[in-house]
Amino acid sequence: MRSLFEFSMDGNGNPVATCSLFWDCECEGDNYVHPVTADECPVCKAQREEQPDSRVNEIMYHADKLPPGLVGIMESMLEDFGKEPIPF
């Protein structure tokens, strides 16, 4: 079973948090973050199962264009981490 959040380091050694409720397609610009409920990007035809989970900071940046229920679940789970800082 996959976890909701994954924490790692990028190529520059900076912390990165990703969330499995959203995924990135191959599109350029601002329409590359998709909810897990979408199996395919209607533009580039990328398939969810073949694409990476979205970074939490990018989900928050694009939150106004994403399903509020899924964004709310992610925000709620982040709050539950409470005492530990979440890397963005």
Side-chain angles (χ1 to χ4, degrees), residues 43-59:
V43 177
C44 71
K45 305 298 183 198
Q47 300 291 311
R48 175 177 51 90
E49 292 300 320
E50 299 172 4
Q51 298 299 117
D53 292 343
S54 297
R55 292 181 180 206
V56 171
N57 63 319
E58 294 174 354
I59 296 166

Side-chain angles (χ1 to χ4, degrees), residues 16-88:
V16 174
T18 59
C19 180
S20 62
L21 292 177
F22 299 91
W23 59 279
D24 292 354
C25 71
E26 300 293 328
C27 290
E28 299 286 328
D30 286 341
N31 295 318
Y32 61 91
V33 177
H34 300 279
V36 71
T37 54
D39 290 329
E40 179 180 275
C41 172
V43 177
C44 71
K45 305 298 183 198
Q47 300 291 311
R48 175 177 51 90
E49 292 300 320
E50 299 172 4
Q51 298 299 117
D53 292 343
S54 297
R55 292 181 180 206
V56 171
N57 63 319
E58 294 174 354
I59 296 166
M60 297 308 294
Y61 181 79
H62 297 289
D64 60 327
K65 299 178 227 164
L66 298 169
L70 288 178
V71 173
I73 290 169
M74 186 192 74
E75 289 176 323
S76 176
M77 295 298 291
L78 286 172
E79 288 174 7
D80 287 345
F81 278 105
K83 299 178 180 106
E84 295 188 32
I86 303 298
F88 287 95

